[in-house]
Amino acid sequence: MEINRVAVVGAGTMGSGIVQVVAQAQIAVTMIDRESGILDHAVAAIERNLARGVERDRISQQDADIARGLIDTDVSLESARDVDIAIEAVNENLETKLGIFRSLDRICAPEAILASNTSSISITRLGAATDRPERVIGMHFFNPVPVMQLVEVVRGLATTDDTARTVTSFAERLGKTAVTIEDFPGFISNRVLMPMINEAIYCLLEGVANAESIDTVMKLGMNHPMGPLALADLIGLDVCLDIMEVLHHDLGESKYRPCPLLRKMVAAGRLGRKSGQGFFSYG
């Protein structure tokens, strides 16, 4: 099966990034969100990114124009009726995702693949909410999507080999490196990354060092391009908390308990870059 028509549900940072890379691969894509204002904001961000790519000679003006022309928007899931794959990219809330998958299962053609950009929620559980669990799969992109090369292709319990091969081939058409993994909490990336971030927050809470020092140690001592606290701010502290909650609940081990300071920051609305304040301040 070849992917020629795509829908992306969710026009936030991840959703709009996925839409951009799909369009740049010269594949028609519809971006769906229930609020037209969010769609307008996402389209404007994509246009800025494409213009920046032209300025930096990463993409030609012609290719940028073609990509923009391949992007449609809609406020209704019904516009996903004729797609080959629908990619859900909303916030990390199980009930929200389950509702979307149930709706897409009703709307999309029987042969269409349903994918989730979830970073931690069970693909098996999402697939069980549909009548096509064999065609449900995870496509975990990384932020910023147009820059980051990795996609975790996550197989649920019922996901078939054909579905996995189709999605892996599709990810490669987008210029990504696809790593196929099995459905375990946090997959690979966040099962390793989030406990590190959580431990860095514990170091801050316990007064081991200030935020700048913690990040400097990890950047210069471990050769990380970004410190764990700055990375948490980039990801979004609410997203980090959601992932830690899933790890703690599903794996049942105390080492995944979210740091109380992380909970406090989220409760205060200090979510990182997107709110202007996290462990660091952002203008």
Side-chain angles (χ1 to χ4, degrees):
M1 176 182 177
E2 186 174 359
I3 303 297
N4 294 310
R5 181 77 197 181
V6 178
V8 176
V9 182
T13 300
M14 296 301 294
S16 62
I18 296 169
V19 168
Q20 180 180 330
V21 297
V22 171
Q24 284 187 238
Q26 299 192 359
I27 302 170
V29 56
T30 300
M31 180 165 50
I32 304 169
D33 201 287
R34 60 186 178 184
E35 295 185 29
S36 58
I38 293 176
L39 288 168
D40 292 341
H41 180 79
V43 168
I46 293 170
E47 290 174 342
R48 287 193 301 271
N49 288 341
L50 291 172
R52 191 177 300 116
V54 172
E55 290 173 3
R56 297 177 179 177
D57 292 325
R58 293 175 179 168
I59 183 174
S60 70
Q61 184 63 61
Q62 181 181 16
D63 285 345
D65 292 341
I66 290 172
R68 178 61 188 89
L70 288 168
I71 300 170
D72 288 327
T73 62
D74 207 302
V75 295
S76 172
L77 286 176
E78 295 291 335
S79 60
R81 184 172 300 278
D82 298 321
V83 302
D84 300 310
I85 186 170
I87 305 171
E88 169 273 314
V90 302
N91 63 312
E92 286 290 280
N93 180 279
L94 176 61
E95 293 306 317
T96 300
K97 290 180 185 291
L98 287 173
I100 290 171
F101 270 78
R102 292 187 187 107
S103 296
L104 289 173
D105 187 43
R106 172 182 57 82
I107 292 166
C108 294
E111 65 273 14
I113 294 171
L114 307 183
S116 177
N117 182 54
T118 180
S119 55
S120 61
I121 290 173
S122 170
I123 300 302
T124 300
R125 191 165 185 182
L126 295 177
T130 75
D131 291 327
R132 65 181 89 194
E134 72 283 355
R135 303 188 72 77
V136 173
I137 199 164
M139 285 192 79
H140 180 209
F141 292 82
F142 290 77
N143 187 32
V145 177
V147 175
M148 300 295 282
Q149 292 300 301
L150 179 65
V151 174
E152 285 182 316
V153 176
V154 186
R155 297 182 57 139
L157 184 63
T159 306
T160 62
D161 291 342
D162 284 344
T163 298
R165 279 193 295 266
T166 297
V167 170
T168 296
S169 177
F170 171 56
E172 291 169 351
R173 282 178 67 193
L174 303 184
K176 305 301 184 185
T177 297
V179 175
T180 303
I181 62 176
E182 298 302 320
D183 185 21
F184 282 87
F187 314 139
I188 295 173
S189 56
N190 283 318
R191 185 166 177 176
V192 174
L193 173 64
M194 286 301 159
M196 182 191 73
I197 287 176
N198 199 50
E199 194 62 30
I201 301 170
Y202 267 113
C203 286
L204 184 63
L205 173 66
E206 294 166 6
V208 176
N210 61 28
E212 291 82 359
S213 296
I214 292 168
D215 275 12
T216 297
V217 167
M218 297 305 292
K219 287 190 292 183
L220 301 184
M222 311 303 168
N223 204 30
H224 290 193
M226 180 180 290
L229 299 178
L231 181 56
D233 280 351
L234 177 63
I235 294 168
L237 302 193
D238 52 339
V239 176
C240 293
L241 178 58
D242 287 341
I243 296 169
M244 288 303 302
E245 294 277 24
V246 169
L247 290 171
H248 191 215
H249 178 271
D250 290 359
L251 294 173
E253 297 184 40
S254 60
K255 67 181 180 180
Y256 298 114
R257 180 173 66 93
C259 178
L261 178 57
L262 176 59
R263 293 186 186 281
K264 186 179 293 186
M265 296 282 283
V266 172
R270 297 185 178 186
L271 307 181
R273 286 181 180 269
K274 60 187 172 185
S275 70
Q277 179 68 49
F279 296 110
F280 301 95
S281 296
Y282 302 93

